[in-house]
Amino acid sequence: MLRPVLIAFFLMMYGPAVTAEPSDVYSFDTQQEEQRFHNLISELRCPKCQNQNIADSNAPISKDMRDEAYQMMSDGASDEEIVGALVARFGEFVRYKPQVERRTLLLWATPVIAVLIGLLVVAGIVIRARRNDETGTALTDEERERASRILAGDSSDRTS
Amino acid sequence: MKRMFLFIPVVLAAVLGVVLFAGIGKDPNKLESALIGKPVPEFLLTDLHDEGRELDPELFKGQVSLLNVWGTWCPACRDEHDDLVWLAEEKGIRIVGLNYKDNRDDALDWLDKLGDPYQVSIYDPRGRLGFDLGVYGAPETYVIDAEGIVRHRHVGVVNEKVWEQDLEPLIEQYREKI
């Protein structure tokens, strides 16, 4: 009675773990190397499934790119060399972090420009408010007196 | 002056509209090849029809060619095949085939049955040349000039419209330069 239940239980527990095998396994000498490889492939974009990096993508082209990155890393290439080699084949598109150059300058500068525009707007509002203060939109003594009379409930002073 | 400021949102909306409108209809899946203006990458691969014959980029020298990347596993390649045969037979275009990540027997079978539009067929079972070319989805078709320089890449099916609009003018242009 208990055995089938136990078997079913273990199947449920371990079934998915057994079937979900990683599609490709790379071996590294050190943890740092593994981390470096992972960082590298997380920053490269898959040309086929365009909103995924090659670390997450199952597309064959992503596997080819991971293999190439791994191979080059094993041969002692630097990160820049690996990314450069892939960019030479697939174009700037595969970089998630575009390089700062003339073509991408506006892209990188946009946040700074937006903040500056915001500061200008705030400064403009503040300056205008100050200027209004100085040019005397505030109440004169006579007006203030009248206002306090109205607030005190003396309706005889109301103009309307 | 103050009234002018009221128009700023309208102007911003109009500018944004123009920018977004310009993007409508553009296919983000079509990427410009990184190899435009560069020579076809080095390779040494065998002829699909003859295991003993080795091919290298020299085969592009001397005439303008189309380089068509295909595989029997690729349904869209089946779609464009008849058009390639038409180009080769009716228009006399030199098409070089790059059989990509495929199996020699299957590929030969396919060409036997459907006709062979390729003057030369490169066999690239592991996709090395495809990778170096930056192929990310078959079918892809490249215009290669008589010096072996990549001039254009078309991603997707070649049909009469693509031929007339993109490929034919380029082929004419580079043929004149020989």
Side-chain angles (χ1 to χ4, degrees):
Chain A
M1 179 60 211
L2 195 64
R3 248 180 77 180
V5 175
L6 269 181
I7 289 172
F9 176 74
F10 278 113
L11 275 179
M12 259 164 59
M13 289 297 287
Y14 296 105
V18 172
T19 49
E21 237 170 275
S23 53
D24 42 35
V25 180
Y26 300 103
S27 62
F28 297 93
D29 294 337
T30 63
Q31 193 125 39
Q32 282 101 310
E33 286 279 282
E34 189 167 355
Q35 190 59 43
R36 193 187 136 206
F37 180 70
H38 187 77
N39 289 346
L40 192 63
I41 60 174
S42 304
E43 271 178 26
L44 289 165
R45 185 175 180 187
C46 168
K48 184 74 194 168
C49 28
Q50 304 194 335
N51 292 323
Q52 275 187 308
N53 58 27
I54 62 169
D56 292 340
S57 165
N58 287 325
I61 184 69
S62 292
K63 180 172 170 5
D64 287 353
M65 288 168 80
R66 288 193 298 266
D67 288 348
E68 180 74 11
Y70 178 72
Q71 194 55 48
M72 285 186 75
M73 219 174 119
S74 309
D75 294 344
S78 70
D79 288 4
E80 291 90 76
E81 283 169 341
I82 296 171
V83 174
L86 291 172
V87 167
R89 293 179 172 97
F90 297 95
E92 285 291 325
F93 181 87
V94 298
R95 273 186 222 270
Y96 262 124
K97 272 189 197 159
Q99 275 190 320
V100 184
E101 52 176 87
R102 263 185 66 186
R103 211 157 53 96
T104 57
L105 210 58
L106 191 63
L107 183 68
W108 282 100
T110 302
V112 181
I113 293 173
V115 168
L116 284 181
I117 290 176
L119 284 178
L120 279 179
V121 168
V122 170
I125 291 170
V126 169
I127 288 172
R128 183 174 301 174
R130 286 243 175 99
R131 199 186 294 148
N132 283 350
D133 270 359
E134 283 160 17
T135 52
T137 42
L139 301 177
T140 61
D141 287 345
E142 194 183 329
E143 281 168 332
R144 200 162 292 164
E145 220 169 278
R146 201 179 128 213
S148 54
R149 274 206 306 277
I150 293 170
L151 288 173
D154 183 358
S155 58
S156 67
D157 204 48
R158 284 199 186 147
T159 43
S160 60
Chain B
M1 188 61 196
K2 237 181 189 170
R3 280 231 180 124
M4 295 289 274
F5 282 124
L6 291 178
F7 285 102
I8 287 181
V10 180
V11 172
L12 281 181
V15 170
L16 192 66
V18 169
V19 170
L20 293 180
F21 189 77
I24 292 177
K26 270 193 191 166
D27 187 352
N29 289 314
K30 294 203 169 159
L31 303 178
E32 173 92 322
S33 168
L35 269 81
I36 303 293
K38 295 191 182 135
V40 172
E42 284 300 318
F43 66 90
L44 193 62
L45 292 163
T46 63
D47 189 317
L48 180 66
H49 299 282
D50 178 1
E51 243 173 291
R53 183 175 170 225
E54 285 192 322
L55 301 169
D56 62 33
E58 282 299 309
L59 70 91
F60 292 105
K61 300 277 164 75
Q63 49 184 320
V64 180
S65 327
L66 288 181
L67 171 62
N68 177 250
V69 183
W70 68 285
T72 55
W73 47 266
C74 146
C77 300
R78 176 68 193 84
D79 272 0
E80 68 171 3
H81 195 83
D82 296 338
D83 285 302
L84 294 178
V85 172
W86 169 73
L87 280 182
E89 285 177 1
E90 303 294 319
K91 301 275 172 183
I93 302 303
R94 180 182 193 241
I95 309 178
V96 176
L98 174 62
N99 179 247
Y100 176 63
K101 290 191 177 179
D102 206 354
N103 163 313
R104 197 187 289 269
D105 292 338
D106 290 349
L108 289 173
D109 233 32
W110 160 295
L111 294 180
D112 252 4
K113 273 187 205 132
L114 302 171
D116 184 353
Y118 307 115
Q119 289 201 2
V120 186
S121 278
I122 310 166
Y123 179 54
D124 186 13
R126 297 181 57 203
R128 268 324 299 187
L129 175 56
F131 189 71
D132 288 341
L133 270 170
V135 170
Y136 65 92
E140 289 187 15
T141 303
Y142 295 75
V143 176
I144 315 283
D145 75 8
E147 269 130 54
I149 311 286
V150 178
R151 292 302 178 181
H152 178 73
R153 161 167 78 175
H154 173 76
V155 178
V157 172
V158 170
N159 51 31
E160 213 174 322
K161 193 175 152 217
V162 171
W163 163 251
E164 277 168 7
Q165 287 182 355
D166 299 347
L167 304 178
E168 190 174 22
L170 281 167
I171 288 190
E172 293 297 323
Q173 184 190 333
Y174 288 105
R175 271 184 176 167
E176 278 166 19
K177 287 192 180 166
I178 300 175

